[in-house]
Amino acid sequence: MDISFNQVSYTYQPNTPFEHHALKDLSFTIPSGSFVAVVGHTGSGKSTLIQHLNGLLRPTAGKVQIGDYHLMANKKVTSIKSLRKHVGVVFQYPEHQLFEETIKKDIAFGPRNFNTPQAEIEKRIPEVMAAVNLPLAILERPPFDLSGGQMRRVAIAGVLAMDPSVLVLDEPTAGLDPKGQQQIMDMFYQLHQEKKLTTILVTHSMEDALRYADHMIILDHGSKYMEGRPVDIFKEKEKLQAVQLDLPEIIHFLRRIEERFGISIPYRKQTMAELATEIKTKLKGVSKHE
Amino acid sequence: MSRAYIEFRNVFFRYSEDQPWVLKDVSFRIFSDQWVAIIGHNGSGKSTIAKLINGLLTPEKGEIIVDGLPVNEDTIWEIRRKVGMVFQNPDNQFVGTTVRDDVAFGLENRGVERREMIRRIDESLKAVAMADYRLQEPHRLSGGQKQRVAIAGVLAISPQVIILDEATAMLDPKGRKEIMDTVNELRTQERISLVTITHDLNEITQADQVIVMNQGEVYLEATPREVFLEETLLQTIGLDVPFVAKLANELNKDGNIISKQPLNQEELLEELWTYHSIK
Amino acid sequence: MNNGILIGQYVPSDSFIHRLDPRTKIMTIFFFVIFVFFANSTLSYAWLTLFALTVTFATKIRFIFILKGLTPVWFLIVFTFLLHLFVTKEGTVLIEAFALKIYSGAIIQGVAISFRFFLLILVTSLLTLTTTPIEITDAIESLLHPLKKIKFPVHELALMMSISLRFIPTLMQETEKISKAQASRGVDFRTGPLKDRIQAVVPLLVPLFVSAFKRAEELAMAMEARGYQGGEGRTKLRELKMETIDIISLITFAVVILVLFFLRT
């Protein structure tokens, strides 16, 4: 589903002393099937933005379009439930939403609410368990017996079981250890490609934005600050620093090599081994001229 | 002048008899005025160590000594005066309704006289750069700010050791940086030993000593530089080394290009400079 | 959240009412609530109203703001008035329609009672508007202090209250988060038959309880690590102090009440 924001603003508690403009005149489009990273500091409006994607919030001005669904200030959406069926949201610390007696029931909870036939649910459960890399043997166990990392996987499986075509991820790896983080992100990337999902990742990790996203939106104080391909965005170090955002470490390092040795090594998703070889050959090359 | 301040002697711990060991035969020493980082994946037993040090948990076998005192029922209150702890969740350790009240909590518990209390609150809030937020309510603070208040609360009781038990795990990069800056600042100003527990290896570069935990056992005890050399080993136990260490290890795969394992980009660039000028 | 409802909400300002010792305010309101029932003449009502309005004005909070905040209570006040209008049968019949008789006494009675009600709510809301919940807690702890002699757990009660106050915003944020997460999984909290809506609460309540227990456990551990061993031997940072202004206020209030008794018929 294509997604577009057209001059969207959102104000919390308008006309009160607590009034807060969370989004200001925000416009962008996300073509179907793309992987978009939304980056910005806490309070930049990221979480307000994603709540517009499945109609938890309606813009106070402007228009949001998700496929055939339209969200506008003064128009109630009649088909909000079917919109939510198509847009799966993995919130921060999703394990906090688990509540059923068994893992199986919890995973089935979403699709059941959307009136998915039982047979279809039964078919999806082993699929999503495999996707999040959990054994089927634990399906009848209570989710609360699991470790934090496993609970997170169950919660993610519950969202995947809705079979959404848009997947919204709000810092899905927060609090996990490095291995867990990488596994979860790789899993989402694989799903994104296999199922041709439109994926929107809210993250603080520039590394993840660089590695997975093909498009990036940077928010600052509710407004769009930058937008484009990650590699292009990360060329503008000073502009990022102005809003206290860092470069991914690899890009930062390549820049410093260029400053120090005058050799340019463009970033093209090299592996660490390729990068090492490249640095060695280029450094030797430079010294030969001296 | 350094002496063992905290010592674990063959410590075993589990939550109940029908459950597996959380810690198995753990022994190590932490010296005074040192910064020791304890790292490990989630569930490796690293947080249990922190709770054992100040008697929030009791070992099943083995002995724990803090400042010459064995940790037991009779000594825990004295030990808690010497050992301050900051936990993972910024919300679940904030007791007061305002910043000032929260810092006061530990002082009130110890019956510190009011005038002295105010002096120490001001001082410790200044040390973590939160003096301007004295009367703020917790729900108006960011995670990093709450954790700094927690550190101030610990500083106010002038402990000899501060344990940060995954204190940065729930923070955004900005909050994480705030905490690490505060910790580095404390290192230079106060004569305090530090124990930081983390799974983020970017946070251990400044530590004096690193204890790597895996499945309840001490897996490795070394300096950060030595630890970063063990990339594959760490990856097999769910950890990962920082970018700089990875690149350095890769550069060294065929032929010794990097003579000293770098801790940061400057050191790696220096090494590359040497390599570049020699050739 | 906060949809203009001001009951129980603190509005900061630098007025002297804000700075009064919370005990002064609680005592004044306590006695005001009692003495309102002594008013029985137009003049005595006018006198109490003058007092209430003066105090309201002194808080420096905009009056419109306060009235607006009392919106949900207006319904109760009107209801009280209507109740008296139809129930009281005193004085002469003024209107007679559809087998309903409205008496002159009913109007007087209705106005008096609902006006008294209004005064009560206005003045009590001034307490919460000008006093932080924690100050109220401190005041209660201090006022209940004598009960310690009969082993009433005053310290524990106050600590419980202050921790609850501390966690109310946290739990509210959490409730909002979880309900949004479940709404995203297709739960409908707003429409549908009552039975369904009651069922929709389960996916909200279970996670809330789970997290509240976890928080309580962690908080208890953090408190213990910070040396909490009960109220014994504890000192306090928060100190309540009666200043001259408190004494003046209390005396003024006593005079107001005395005058009230002269104005009664």
Side-chain angles (χ1 to χ4, degrees):
Chain A
M1 284 201 279
D2 293 330
I3 295 170
S4 79
F5 273 52
N6 203 336
Q7 297 186 300
V8 170
S9 298
Y10 188 84
T11 308
Y12 286 99
Q13 301 182 38
N15 308 318
T16 71
F18 309 101
E19 187 175 78
H20 172 60
H21 302 281
L23 293 181
K24 296 172 210 160
D25 202 23
L26 193 61
S27 301
F28 58 82
T29 51
I30 297 174
S32 184
S34 44
F35 196 124
V36 178
V38 179
V39 173
H41 284 296
T42 311
S44 60
K46 291 173 303 183
S47 83
T48 308
L49 188 158
I50 60 172
Q51 289 179 51
H52 282 84
L53 295 172
N54 72 344
L56 286 170
L57 295 178
R58 256 188 298 153
T60 41
K63 186 174 168 186
V64 175
Q65 222 171 315
I66 301 131
D68 297 329
Y69 303 91
H70 299 247
L71 298 174
M72 272 172 287
N74 302 314
K75 230 175 87 194
K76 215 162 174 182
V77 200
T78 43
S79 45
I80 198 92
K81 204 161 170 177
S82 84
L83 167 64
R84 286 185 188 161
K85 186 182 163 176
H86 288 112
V87 182
V89 185
V90 176
F91 283 96
Q92 247 183 72
Y93 300 100
E95 58 273 24
H96 293 171
Q97 74 194 29
L98 301 174
F99 74 100
E100 285 280 19
E101 300 143 63
T102 67
I103 292 170
K104 190 176 175 181
K105 277 189 185 171
D106 215 296
I107 294 178
F109 180 70
R112 242 188 22 234
N113 285 329
F114 294 117
N115 304 317
T116 309
Q118 188 59 33
E120 174 65 21
I121 299 179
E122 293 288 341
K123 195 182 124 249
R124 282 185 200 167
I125 287 176
E127 287 171 14
V128 297
M129 286 292 276
V132 299
N133 200 13
L134 284 175
L136 290 176
I138 62 168
L139 274 177
E140 295 302 328
R141 280 172 45 189
F144 303 103
D145 284 3
L146 304 174
S147 74
Q150 288 173 318
M151 279 167 74
R152 168 105 27 125
R153 286 159 193 265
V154 171
I156 291 170
V159 175
L160 297 179
M162 291 157 39
D163 198 23
S165 45
V166 177
L167 197 54
V168 180
L169 310 169
D170 187 0
E171 290 186 60
T173 62
L176 298 179
D177 57 30
K179 197 175 175 184
Q181 288 180 10
Q182 172 129 30
Q183 283 173 346
I184 296 277
M185 278 317 298
D186 286 347
M187 173 203 81
F188 281 129
Y189 192 62
Q190 203 184 337
L191 278 173
H192 168 80
Q193 291 183 313
E194 277 171 12
K195 300 212 158 191
K196 310 250 181 312
L197 299 174
T198 310
T199 307
I200 292 140
L201 169 72
V202 170
T203 184
H204 284 298
S205 162
M206 297 300 188
E207 266 66 26
D208 283 350
L210 181 66
R211 188 176 309 151
Y212 301 107
D214 36 52
H215 193 77
M216 211 175 150
I217 296 170
I218 297 184
L219 292 182
D220 183 51
H221 292 98
S223 306
K224 187 170 77 183
Y225 183 70
M226 286 170 96
E227 187 185 3
R229 291 194 314 153
V231 272
D232 295 331
I233 284 192
F234 292 133
K235 281 179 187 148
E236 305 198 51
K237 182 182 170 199
E238 286 71 27
K239 202 168 171 193
L240 285 168
Q241 276 178 340
V243 291
Q244 282 135 48
L245 290 173
D246 294 322
L247 292 177
E249 205 174 349
I250 181 161
I251 304 254
H252 188 208
F253 187 70
L254 291 177
R255 267 184 80 118
R256 291 185 68 176
I257 287 205
E258 186 168 358
E259 284 160 17
R260 181 96 189 235
F261 301 100
I263 58 169
S264 144
I265 302 173
Y267 175 77
R268 331 173 278 267
K269 301 203 176 188
Q270 301 94 319
T271 62
M272 205 54 88
E274 288 163 359
L275 184 63
T277 323
E278 207 169 339
I279 290 176
K280 277 191 276 193
T281 31
K282 291 230 169 143
L283 281 183
K284 275 181 197 157
V286 172
S287 48
K288 270 178 194 158
H289 291 291
E290 283 175 354
Chain B
M1 276 299 285
S2 210
R3 63 193 173 94
Y5 190 81
I6 297 171
E7 190 175 354
F8 271 51
R9 290 183 192 153
N10 310 96
V11 172
F12 287 77
F13 176 84
R14 58 184 163 185
Y15 283 93
S16 68
E17 277 189 27
D18 52 346
Q19 279 184 340
W21 292 110
V22 179
L23 292 182
K24 280 177 285 193
D25 199 15
V26 169
S27 302
F28 61 82
R29 288 168 178 198
I30 292 174
F31 293 91
S32 35
D33 305 327
Q34 258 197 340
W35 175 351
V36 175
I38 302 180
I39 59 173
H41 59 88
N42 290 348
S44 60
K46 58 189 191 301
S47 280
T48 307
I49 291 179
K51 290 174 185 122
L52 284 164
I53 292 174
N54 72 350
L56 291 167
L57 297 172
T58 328
E60 192 168 315
K61 279 190 269 176
E63 212 179 356
I64 299 162
I65 318 272
V66 177
D67 197 17
L69 295 168
V71 181
N72 59 42
E73 277 296 302
D74 305 322
T75 56
I76 48 171
W77 297 108
E78 201 179 331
I79 284 167
R80 283 176 196 165
R81 203 178 294 249
K82 299 171 193 282
V83 180
M85 259 182 92
V86 177
F87 296 89
Q88 182 180 11
N89 191 319
D91 262 316
N92 298 353
Q93 57 187 314
F94 205 110
V95 189
T97 42
T98 67
V99 166
R100 194 183 63 150
D101 287 295
D102 190 67
V103 179
F105 184 74
L107 298 166
E108 293 177 326
N109 289 336
R110 284 158 181 107
V112 175
E113 188 238 339
R114 189 163 182 275
R115 202 172 313 153
E116 169 71 7
M117 211 181 316
I118 291 168
R119 193 185 64 77
R120 291 215 219 162
I121 292 170
D122 289 349
E123 215 168 70
S124 48
L125 280 176
K126 219 175 276 163
V128 299
M130 284 294 290
D132 294 341
Y133 296 85
R134 202 161 293 165
L135 297 175
Q136 274 289 359
E137 293 171 358
H139 62 275
R140 305 201 185 281
L141 300 177
S142 72
Q145 290 174 326
K146 279 183 225 175
Q147 290 300 65
R148 268 147 70 198
V149 173
I151 294 176
V154 162
L155 280 180
I157 56 164
S158 6
Q160 283 150 313
V161 190
I162 294 182
I163 304 177
L164 300 182
D165 183 4
E166 299 197 57
T168 59
M170 293 180 75
L171 304 181
D172 58 13
K174 208 167 156 189
R176 211 165 283 181
K177 191 171 174 298
E178 281 169 20
I179 298 303
M180 290 324 285
D181 288 351
T182 308
V183 166
N184 280 319
E185 185 72 9
L186 291 180
R187 278 290 287 165
T188 56
Q189 287 188 353
E190 316 251 346
R191 290 180 57 83
I192 280 182
S193 322
L194 267 174
V195 178
T196 54
I197 295 169
T198 178
H199 55 230
D200 186 351
L201 269 71
N202 291 304
E203 290 179 3
I204 68 165
T205 49
Q206 317 252 14
D208 301 307
Q209 192 72 11
V210 183
I211 299 175
V212 185
M213 293 296 296
N214 182 38
Q215 299 188 349
E217 291 174 276
V218 176
Y219 192 71
L220 183 67
E221 261 188 279
T223 62
R225 279 182 218 281
E226 289 160 353
V227 168
F228 289 157
L229 280 169
E230 306 293 340
E231 186 180 337
T232 10
L233 212 63
L234 290 174
Q235 278 170 346
T236 57
I237 62 167
L239 296 171
D240 204 4
V241 298
F243 166 79
V244 167
K246 256 188 206 163
L247 184 56
N249 295 338
E250 198 61 56
L251 286 165
N252 263 359
K253 265 201 181 138
D254 32 41
N256 249 355
I257 290 176
I258 311 294
S259 54
K260 191 170 116 198
Q261 181 73 22
L263 289 176
N264 49 42
Q265 290 193 3
E266 283 73 39
E267 291 186 3
L268 180 52
L269 284 170
E270 264 335 295
E271 291 285 335
L272 285 175
W273 184 256
T274 321
Y275 165 73
H276 159 84
S277 18
I278 289 171
K279 287 261 159 144
Chain C
M1 280 202 299
N2 289 330
N3 290 326
I5 298 170
L6 274 182
I7 302 174
Q9 198 180 352
Y10 175 71
V11 179
S13 153
D14 63 342
S15 81
F16 88 91
I17 304 276
H18 280 78
R19 286 194 309 266
L20 281 181
D21 188 303
R23 289 171 298 183
T24 309
K25 290 189 256 188
I26 289 184
M27 283 189 289
T28 309
I29 282 155
F30 180 74
F31 287 108
F32 185 86
V33 166
I34 291 175
F35 286 111
V36 160
F37 290 93
F38 284 79
N40 63 354
S41 64
T42 319
L43 216 52
S44 57
Y45 271 113
W47 177 243
L48 287 182
T49 310
L50 181 69
F51 170 74
L53 290 180
T54 313
V55 176
T56 310
F57 183 71
T59 61
K60 293 188 182 173
I61 301 170
R62 281 178 30 227
F63 193 59
I64 299 283
F65 201 57
I66 298 176
L67 284 188
K68 234 177 163 180
L70 295 178
T71 319
V73 195
W74 285 120
F75 166 74
L76 277 174
I77 294 172
V78 172
F79 181 74
T80 317
F81 176 72
L82 291 177
L83 199 70
H84 279 275
L85 202 61
F86 296 124
V87 173
T88 317
K89 294 187 169 53
E90 278 169 32
T92 55
V93 178
L94 291 178
I95 302 166
E96 197 174 346
F98 307 111
L100 263 178
K101 286 178 187 162
I102 291 175
Y103 296 85
S104 62
I107 292 187
I108 296 168
Q109 190 73 333
V111 169
I113 302 281
S114 41
F115 191 71
R116 185 183 289 166
F117 196 46
F118 165 73
L119 279 182
L120 284 181
I121 290 169
L122 176 65
V123 172
T124 33
S125 71
L126 287 182
L127 172 72
T128 50
L129 282 168
T130 64
T131 324
T132 59
I134 192 68
E135 278 180 313
I136 298 178
T137 307
D138 289 338
I140 291 174
E141 184 177 11
S142 160
L143 291 169
L144 291 182
H145 192 76
L147 294 182
K148 249 191 174 158
K149 289 210 182 74
I150 57 162
K151 296 251 163 82
F152 186 81
V154 180
H155 160 75
E156 284 75 9
L157 185 76
L159 184 75
M160 241 167 61
M161 278 177 66
S162 80
I163 288 178
S164 312
L165 289 172
R166 145 78 187 92
F167 275 94
I168 285 171
T170 311
L171 290 178
M172 271 169 60
Q173 283 170 2
E174 184 130 324
T175 311
E176 205 185 321
K177 263 190 214 156
I178 296 172
S179 66
K180 280 183 172 161
Q182 306 298 34
S184 304
R185 292 209 284 166
V187 177
D188 192 344
F189 293 101
R190 295 215 173 90
T191 54
L194 187 66
K195 196 184 118 253
D196 289 2
R197 268 192 279 173
I198 292 172
Q199 267 187 357
V201 179
V202 177
L204 179 60
L205 281 186
V206 174
L208 264 181
F209 271 104
V210 170
S211 110
F213 276 116
K214 190 169 173 247
R215 283 186 196 283
E217 211 179 305
E218 288 187 20
L219 187 71
M221 192 171 267
M223 284 169 67
E224 207 183 312
R226 294 175 69 182
Y228 180 70
Q229 300 178 71
E232 212 55 38
R234 254 183 132 239
T235 44
K236 286 201 69 168
L237 170 70
R238 298 187 156 278
E239 202 176 44
L240 296 177
K241 245 202 200 134
M242 286 283 198
E243 310 271 358
T244 330
I245 185 86
D246 291 291
I247 311 290
I248 296 172
S249 303
L250 285 172
I251 292 174
T252 315
F253 179 63
V255 173
V256 168
I257 296 303
L258 272 178
V259 173
L260 172 74
F261 277 88
F262 280 110
L263 295 176
R264 269 164 56 93
T265 45

